[in-house]
Amino acid sequence: MIAITPDAWVLWHWGPFPVNATIAFTWLVMALLVVLSWLVTRRLTDGPEPSRWQHVLEVLVTGIRDQIAQVSRQDPGAYLPFVGTLFLFIAASNLLAVVPGFRPPTGSLSTTTALALCVLVAVPVFGVAQQGALGYLRHYLRPTPLMLPFNLIGEISRTVALAVRLYGNIMSGTVLAGILLSLVPFFFPVVMQLLGLLTGMIQAYIFAVLAMVYIASAASAASAASGGASRGGSGSAGSREREANDRGR
Amino acid sequence: MDSLSLIGMVSIVTAGLTLAVGSLGPAFGEARAVAQALAAIAQQPDESATITRTLFVGLAMIESTAIYCFVLAMILVFANPFWNHFVQAGGG
């Protein structure tokens, strides 16, 4: 019998609380990220020869910044902490899946639901921060107030899709590895593990990019609706609408 | 045939059908998306970065329909709620 979620694997009981594999490995990944970044950022330098690890960190941060800037076509500074954290956490836990004995916490529906709920909360937070409460809430009434329930359903369903997509991808990798290990235990599972590395990275990227797309659309669509009062974000919104029109044709 | 084996049989057959149909549609969709993206890159190689990013996001969207079917099939085979209910009811 293959456990399709690491929630069922209880490692130890901490007082009355059972600590399952999801919680324990989430703590492990968080500790790893925190300790690594603390070690690297302790001796930052802008001298001619930064350390090897500072190079790695700079490549990561500038890479994520560039991606956010390309997707949102806005200043990435405000979104970098949230989206970058999502990406790094998911990528780290997916990559660690090759370590024997490690069950990726993203293979549990509870973890992915928690991450998707963070996105669900972050979308209106960023939208309100950019547009003000009224300006943001008005976009639920577009194009007509009749669309309000459908806009709300869309908000919820894309959150569910975000959670189930990540869970299904990582869970399928783990389950397939388990089934293959019991059928052909020598060479083929290694190939599937390599494929799992690829899909794990792609899923982390997709999750972060989709979160960014949702946040960016909430932050800039409202400005297009409010009659273009602030033309700063209108260029991006306008070109996105043009793209949507092109796709519709 | 008692109800337990009937539930087991229907669950497994349905899981197989779900996977078969649920991978057929997304396969066609992804093939079409990739073909269009390749044609677009061939026409405008300068835009390949944007096209590739949009392609990946779109592929993930298409793929998630297949993933839903996979999750459903896995639940039917490994964590079937009806099966568990009847095993519990039968066991006491």
Side-chain angles (χ1 to χ4, degrees):
Chain A
M1 180 81 186
I2 299 160
I4 60 173
T5 162
D7 285 2
W9 179 17
V10 176
L11 289 177
W12 73 88
H13 284 265
W14 190 37
F17 304 109
V19 175
N20 56 34
T22 311
I23 301 176
F25 287 134
T26 305
W27 286 342
L28 191 74
V29 172
M30 290 194 300
L32 207 67
L33 288 177
V34 168
V35 169
L36 271 183
S37 37
W38 179 73
L39 279 179
V40 178
T41 51
R42 217 170 25 147
R43 275 196 305 263
L44 287 183
T45 166
D46 56 354
E49 288 222 353
S51 71
R52 196 171 294 178
W53 283 98
Q54 188 182 340
H55 270 302
V56 175
L57 208 64
E58 280 181 4
V59 166
L60 260 178
V61 172
T62 45
I64 297 175
R65 276 185 74 99
D66 285 350
Q67 288 292 330
I68 294 177
Q70 281 179 14
V71 172
S72 70
R73 292 170 200 172
Q74 297 170 26
D75 177 41
Y79 310 118
L80 182 69
F82 179 65
V83 179
T85 308
L86 279 181
F87 174 76
L88 283 184
F89 175 76
I90 298 173
S93 47
N94 288 352
L95 288 187
L96 284 176
V98 288
V99 177
F102 183 92
R103 289 290 299 269
T106 39
S108 150
L109 194 54
S110 3
T111 310
T112 57
T113 309
L115 293 175
L117 283 180
C118 291
V119 177
L120 180 73
V121 173
V123 167
V125 165
F126 279 111
V128 168
Q130 293 263 340
Q131 306 297 330
L134 271 182
Y136 172 71
L137 289 178
R138 203 175 290 143
H139 102 270
Y140 281 109
L141 301 180
R142 285 179 64 210
T144 72
L146 281 179
M147 290 297 283
L148 176 66
F150 302 104
N151 282 334
L152 289 177
I153 292 173
E155 198 94 351
I156 304 224
S157 76
R158 75 187 185 193
T159 306
V160 174
L162 214 52
V164 176
R165 179 182 309 119
L166 183 58
Y167 163 68
N169 271 291
I170 308 304
M171 184 266 282
S172 72
T174 325
V175 170
L176 276 187
I179 293 175
L180 284 175
L181 268 180
S182 62
L183 291 180
V184 269
F186 186 57
F187 181 66
F188 202 46
V190 180
V191 181
M192 292 306 288
Q193 287 279 335
L194 291 180
L195 195 68
L197 279 183
L198 182 68
T199 53
M201 276 311 282
I202 291 180
Q203 286 310 313
Y205 175 72
I206 299 276
F207 196 99
V209 165
L210 283 182
M212 196 57 244
V213 166
Y214 297 156
I215 292 172
S217 74
S220 65
S223 79
S226 60
S230 64
R231 303 302 295 180
S234 66
S236 60
S239 56
R240 204 169 295 124
E241 272 162 19
R242 201 160 55 240
E243 276 173 17
N245 286 341
D246 288 348
R247 242 178 273 125
R249 247 189 273 127
Chain B
M1 195 184 296
D2 60 330
S3 63
L4 207 53
S5 49
L6 195 67
I7 290 175
M9 195 183 79
V10 170
S11 302
I12 291 174
V13 170
T14 313
L17 269 180
T18 310
L19 271 188
V21 178
S23 53
L24 195 68
F28 282 129
E30 294 203 349
R32 190 170 150 69
V34 171
Q36 291 280 352
L38 283 181
I41 290 178
Q43 280 181 353
Q44 291 183 315
D46 295 342
E47 289 296 313
S48 61
T50 316
I51 295 171
T52 313
R53 192 177 59 243
T54 320
L55 172 71
F56 271 130
V57 175
L59 280 188
M61 289 290 198
I62 303 169
E63 190 195 54
S64 60
T65 54
I67 290 289
Y68 295 152
C69 294
F70 176 76
V71 170
L72 216 64
M74 283 295 118
I75 288 174
L76 278 178
V77 174
F78 291 115
N80 196 327
F82 306 105
W83 176 273
N84 291 347
H85 170 74
F86 273 95
V87 165
Q88 249 174 12

